[in-house]
């Protein structure tokens, strides 16, 4: 059971961590939720592979974009 749990954890999507510019002008590593909540400016993705975070980032950065 422990081995199965380890395998699941390895393939589970990892939340995105991005580098962003805060309203105060400071570059900071943060998650997508914090990026949106603080109205920070996206610079680049540092790590992660969660596609739901990618969708949220696209909706934040390009509000008129249609995601199907």
């Amino acid at each position: 059971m422990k081995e199965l749990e380890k395998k699941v954890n390895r393939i589970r999507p990892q939340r995105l961590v991005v580098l962003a510019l805060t309203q105060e002008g400071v570059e900071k590593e943060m998650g997508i939720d914090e990026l949106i909540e603080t109205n920070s400016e996206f610079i680049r993705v540092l790590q992660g592979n969660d596609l739901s975070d990618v969708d949220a980032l696209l909706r934040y950065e390009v509000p008129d974009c249609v995601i199907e």
Side-chain angles (χ1 to χ4, degrees):
M1 194 63 151
K2 293 272 188 196
E3 287 299 315
L4 181 58
E5 183 178 357
K6 286 179 186 177
K7 286 181 183 179
V8 168
N9 285 335
R10 278 196 304 268
I11 63 172
R12 178 175 289 139
Q14 300 298 311
R15 299 289 312 259
L16 293 185
V17 175
V18 301
L19 182 63
L21 186 64
T22 66
Q23 294 291 312
E24 295 78 28
V26 177
E27 288 187 6
K28 179 181 174 188
E29 292 182 17
M30 59 180 70
I32 297 301
D33 296 335
E34 184 179 1
L35 173 79
I36 294 168
E37 289 169 7
T38 60
N39 198 33
S40 295
E41 183 180 334
F42 169 75
I43 298 174
R44 70 175 180 269
V45 173
L46 299 173
Q47 64 187 30
N49 61 357
D50 191 330
L51 293 180
S52 62
D53 281 348
V54 173
D55 287 345
L57 178 59
L58 285 173
R59 280 192 297 276
Y60 176 69
E61 286 292 309
V62 189
D64 296 333
C65 137
V66 176
I67 301 171
E68 295 182 13

